[in-house]
Amino acid sequence: QLCEKFTVCQNSMEMLLRNNLNLPKVTEEDGFCLLKRTVEDKCLRKISSGLYTFQTYLKYIQETFTSENQNVESLSFSTEHLAHILRQMVVNPEEVIIPDAATQESLHTKLKSTTAWTEKITIHLILRDFTSFMEKTVRAVRYLKNTRSFSV
């Protein structure tokens, strides 16, 4: 009855609003790689850390969305490569946050423990946020490439 009355069933659209995946995001507070070297470094650090974090989510998609396994594997490899390149551009590369094995395993276990419907929504949310993250990454890299002696 609660499910019908308040529409908070596991397979309701309400699940979309309860996105508790904590996916990486680039915000204005992170800087847009503009103006000062310190802001640029902070932005590159945030982007590289975010790309490394997305690796666990992409691994989940690769295992779950098996019909697109090869495409997701290629996307994952390219994402890791870009994260590595950007990490090398940070003043102190060790400041880039790379999730450790225990953190990755914990997240992976949490992602795997979903129902079939929630699994589809989870994949959708991950890909939507990954697309947004990559759009901001491309803007930042393009800006740096056009305004500094910068090559990617």
Side-chain angles (χ1 to χ4, degrees), residues 55-102:
Q55 288 301 110
T56 305
Y57 292 100
L58 293 174
K59 178 182 175 192
Y60 166 75
I61 292 174
Q62 186 177 351
E63 292 173 358
T64 309
F65 198 24
T66 54
S67 64
E68 294 296 324
N69 186 295
Q70 194 169 9
N71 288 334
V72 179
E73 184 177 2
S74 175
L75 179 63
S76 182
F77 176 79
S78 299
T79 301
E80 185 173 13
H81 184 67
L82 179 59
H84 179 72
I85 289 171
L86 294 177
R87 181 174 184 245
Q88 298 310 307
M89 298 172 70
V90 174
V91 173
N92 294 312
E94 62 280 353
E95 291 179 357
V96 171
I97 298 166
I98 301 174
D100 62 20

